Amino acid sequence: MADSPLGERQIPDPPTDEPRLESWGEIAAYLRREIRTVQRWERYQGLPVRRLLIGKLGSVYAYRSELDKWYRERQPQPENGEEDTEKAGNGEVVAHVTVSTEVDKQKSQGQVDGSDLPPPRPRITRLHITITLLTLLIVAAVTPAVYFFRREHSPVRSASGKIRLVVLPFANLSGDSQQDYFSAGLTDEMITQLGRLDPERLGVIAAETSKASASKPIAELGRTLDVQYALEGSVRRGGNDVRINVQLIQVSDQTHIWANSYTGDLRDILRVQDEVAAAVASQIRVALPVGALGVNGAKGTARTINPEAYDEYLRGRFFWTNRGDLRKSIDAYQKAIQKDPNYALAYAGLASAYALLGQVPYDDMLPADAKPKAREAAERALQLDPQLGEAHSVLANVSYSYDWDFDAAEREFQRALALGQNDPTAHLWFSHYCIVRNRLQQAHEENSRTLALDPVSPLFNTVRAEIYYNARQYDEAIAQGRRIIDQYPTYWLAYIWLGSAYREKKMYKDSLEQFAQASKLSGNHPAITALYGHALALSGDTAGARRALADLRNLSKTRYVSALYFAGIYTGLGEKGTALDWLDKAYKERNDRLVYLNVDPMADPLRSEPRFQDLMKRLHLP
């Protein structure tokens, strides 16, 4: 029979002077179950959980003795007259923990899936381990309220030799969907913090895969992601008051090995993040480099932060991660900086958003406007915190895509990767740099590192198709593009490399179909219009290619359209002189995609032209 909610229950007066379990995380850890399981028990099976209103926040708590009583009532009766309690020599009542080598049969018809009621505890007959109540850990009811459920265990490692951890999306328990950005941003922050701990031995799954794993059973994560640990949690926010529950789960046996609960003010959120990271590190036996957690403060300390600034920072991070609206991301980061001018992470976020906004295919700003702002923000971030790998990644991006200074870019990338081995953006941008330098095998290896951190990301999988395309491995590019589209049919960037690979194989009908679909999905993005017009020209549809040119001219009246896009269509039409004229204009714009022409098959018809060779020299490319 399906579960149905119980009516209002009258829980008797609490025991006298007994410590409390102060959150769903602590209750779940005590019962060795997932939070959602104990919440279901409370709702449908009468698990004795109490509620308390703290300021604007609702809170739950429970007593161990009541949970034990509820649990015992659902166990098989002791055999041969065994007692569940006895008196020790000093007259104290002691509890028994019994172990069995056989699994008792479930006696409840309603417990079909093993989660509605706790399974019977196994026993070894007459073997008792006594634990006096005086040895129970007393947790002080202070803010933050912290409870550790500890078990000794050896760290588990993946086949690669690293310990691998996934941070599942924090549940938003605020009752307000408008706070989803807050829980999502906090999840991303924890991923970043944990990723900085010990990248040589700890690999942390990145945000895209974390979101995709939210609904999967814990046991499945070990198989699909090769992770040994999962960190899950929830956040409840009311104004500047916040309550965060977190628990660490060993995936192999779904053991809850640690749980924390924090209640406090957003001003202390950076300290809370560091405390969670330090606790996780101690549980899975990785080194904790003191002061290396990027908390924007003195070594080993976490400064307080303006709650409004932190709120805007998380909004900016939300829009950056989803790439949905980079201008909204920039606006939020700027507001965060206005409220806290010394917020290094906000400057680093602002730098990353500007870097993307000024390059293909986002190109929503002139590179000459966007890239210098990206550099300025990154340099300010490093003045405030020299250990921010994200800022070094932006400087590397600007160096090779705007300054065409490849030596500087190489140095910045090496610094960024040393500081952020678990930062997928650093690996992503370095793989692009390797494409530009015609180091395609290295680009492939770097892409593999990115995918190890975020295997389901459509962006990172699309880069693999781009690498195959530039390596002239068109069949592999097509196969990869097909795989992405099968899984993410609305991800228009994947259609670029699928269509481009078909074009190079002279399969123009297939190529045009892919570009047409990309145009539809992207809202007629100018980059797709250019690729479509170029393919039309190669297919022999000169009139169609010229219509695409007209579309670009009309679009340029309302937004920035790079000269590079016109050059592409004229190259397809065989009008090399005109194409090179437009490439010179793109050079003056400092378009980032120019440096890719060193390897892009699309530029092959121009390679023998002296003007093209001169352009490559001006770009400092061989």
Side-chain angles (χ1 to χ4, degrees), residues 261-283:
S261 179
Y262 302 88
T263 302
D265 192 288
L266 276 180
R267 293 180 181 85
D268 296 322
I269 194 68
L270 300 181
R271 174 182 55 77
V272 170
Q273 290 171 11
D274 278 0
E275 287 182 2
V276 172
V280 170
S282 69
Q283 290 296 318

Side-chain angles (χ1 to χ4, degrees), residues 413-546:
F413 271 128
Q414 295 307 319
R415 182 62 173 154
L417 292 168
L419 290 170
Q421 291 186 37
N422 285 321
D423 178 11
T425 299
H427 292 287
L428 169 68
W429 287 353
F430 187 54
S431 66
H432 277 288
Y433 170 83
C434 291
I435 292 174
V436 169
R437 302 301 286 163
N438 204 14
R439 289 155 33 183
L440 296 174
Q441 180 58 39
Q442 189 177 359
H444 189 278
E445 293 168 357
E446 204 62 34
N447 178 248
S448 295
R449 295 185 181 97
T450 312
L451 288 171
L453 294 169
D454 210 346
V456 307
S457 165
L459 173 60
F460 303 154
N461 279 281
T462 295
V463 172
R464 173 144 295 190
E466 180 179 359
I467 294 168
Y468 284 138
Y469 163 78
N470 283 290
R472 272 94 170 147
Q473 297 176 9
Y474 302 124
D475 289 337
E476 289 84 350
I478 290 169
Q480 178 70 7
R482 280 292 176 199
R483 282 192 291 270
I484 301 166
I485 289 170
D486 286 345
Q487 191 169 3
Y488 305 99
T490 63
Y491 191 69
W492 63 273
L493 292 178
Y495 291 87
I496 289 178
W497 307 110
L498 182 57
S500 295
Y502 279 132
R503 183 197 66 223
E504 292 304 313
K505 287 174 68 70
K506 302 187 187 309
M507 299 169 66
Y508 298 123
K509 180 177 181 294
D510 296 295
S511 176
L512 290 168
E513 286 177 356
Q514 304 310 316
F515 290 139
Q517 183 66 11
S519 182
K520 179 181 177 181
L521 292 170
S522 68
N524 299 316
H525 192 284
I528 303 300
T529 301
L531 289 167
Y532 187 71
H534 175 255
L536 284 171
L538 291 178
S539 72
D541 187 354
T542 301
R546 296 202 180 279

Side-chain angles (χ1 to χ4, degrees), residues 58-71:
S59 175
V60 298
Y61 65 96
Y63 291 95
R64 295 174 180 81
S65 61
E66 294 179 344
L67 298 180
D68 290 342
K69 181 176 182 295
W70 179 90
Y71 197 92

Side-chain angles (χ1 to χ4, degrees), residues 358-359 367-368 371 375 395-411 433 436-437 564 583-598 614-622:
Q359 66 187 41
K371 294 287 185 173
R375 174 166 44 214
L395 290 181
N397 176 296
V398 174
S399 293
Y400 87 84
S401 69
Y402 183 77
D403 297 332
W404 307 316
D405 186 342
F406 298 101
D407 291 338
E410 187 89 30
R411 289 193 301 270
Y433 170 83
V436 169
R437 302 301 286 163
L564 184 69
L583 286 179
D584 283 336
K585 292 178 182 178
Y587 177 85
K588 293 176 182 177
E589 293 174 353
R590 305 189 80 85
N591 183 279
D592 69 289
R593 205 71 195 177
L594 280 175
V595 292
Y596 290 81
L597 297 182
N598 188 45
D614 176 68
L615 175 63
M616 294 298 102
K617 289 179 181 178
R618 283 182 282 154
L619 294 170
H620 307 128
L621 291 168

